[in-house]
Amino acid sequence: MSQKREMTVWNQRFSILKQPIASVLNQHLIDYPTPSNLSYWWGFGSLASICLVIQIVTDIFLAMHYTPHVDLAFNSVEHIIRHVEGGWLLRYMHANGASMFFIVVYLHMFRGLYYASYSSPREFVRCIGVVIFLLMILTAFIGYVLPWGQMSFWGATVITSLASAIPVGGFSVDNVTLNRFFSLHYLLPFILVGASVLHLAALLQYGSNNPLGVHAEMDKIAFYPYFYVKYLVGWVSFAIFFSVWIFYAPNVLGHPDNYIPANPMSTPAHIVPEWYFLPVYAILRSIPDKAGGVAAIALVSICLLALPFMKSLYVCSSSFRPIYQGLFWLLLADHCLLGWIGCHPVEPPFATIGQISPLLFFLFFAILPLLGLVGRGIPHSYTDEPVAEKDPIVCDTNTPHFLE
């Protein structure tokens, strides 16, 4: 009996899972208590992490062959595709990987909006997520300039003109700008990794939301093996979807003009950024004044950051909030409309629609606080205060006070 006890103590002391780093990983990624009713929509966060790893790995190998010079950048990219062993795969994985990254993150964000995952006590999780999204936009824009194609050059010219007070180069987009963009594009993904770790740490601290939208502490199961297997389905499906773009349509998501070397003396008839920039680009150009357009983009960021601090209901899921659900689908339709408007020239009727669509976008965030005033608010169970008898926790989702 004593010998068996000694062996048990020995195994506990020298088990890999009991070591400092491994025990933290085991506690937060294997035995972590997770709501049992999470759906496949909760797997896009892990997919975003996979996309970030793909982008960093391909970025490192592409940087070995890329030359950040206005006379050599375009040819160096062509050299990677045509002459470097496996270079075409690296190039198309990186270029299409950016689109896949934004697809996954957009789905992740809209899932959070639909199920109100931003509500208390996950305000910090949401704010870090918005910072990650803004860093993604900045990193993707800088990377879009590096191939030094015709659309890359003129896209950089338009955007950098909005930040004329920031020293991004000389009087125009030139060799100095390209060198600095290359340095930043190599650095920012690692900052994204740090922000993603903070995002994950905050999520593990406060716990995941669930499709019902109620604060549940009891109905939880271990993350492994249940959700690893469930998310594996999403990972394999994503790999197939990603592979189709890489091997069968590697250039569909890009602009044809970007296969023309940059020419400062020839302006394209219509400057169109990458598809994932189109909604922001449509808001930016909806206001004729340059400062007004920049202010509108800043207001978008403020709205996304302020969202968690608006008054929330105890039940946050759109399944039990028909008014909020309708507003959500209108927001999603408006976001798609902004993307469609962004790829068209500024002329009737696109100009008129482009000025109305941003108003609908901001109207969603203006109405949202009013919905929180109707219905039952979050009880004290989310705080350290005890729950009063006159304010019991009700989990019956059929009662009418859950609806706006």
Side-chain angles (χ1 to χ4, degrees), residues 57-67 80 87 90-92 94-95 182:
V57 172
T58 54
D59 183 34
I60 292 173
F61 285 101
L62 288 172
M64 297 178 183
H65 301 277
Y66 177 76
T67 306
I80 292 171
L90 290 172
R91 159 66 174 158
Y92 290 141
H94 195 71
F182 175 67

Side-chain angles (χ1 to χ4, degrees), residues 233-252:
V233 177
W235 298 341
V236 173
S237 302
F238 172 77
I240 295 172
F241 180 73
F242 191 14
S243 300
V244 169
W245 289 102
I246 294 174
F247 297 110
Y248 293 98
N251 299 311
V252 170

Side-chain angles (χ1 to χ4, degrees), residues 52-53 56 132 135 188-199:
L52 180 57
V53 171
I56 290 177
I132 291 174
L135 286 172
L188 287 175
F190 296 99
I191 298 178
L192 270 173
V193 170
S196 300
V197 171
L198 287 177
H199 187 63

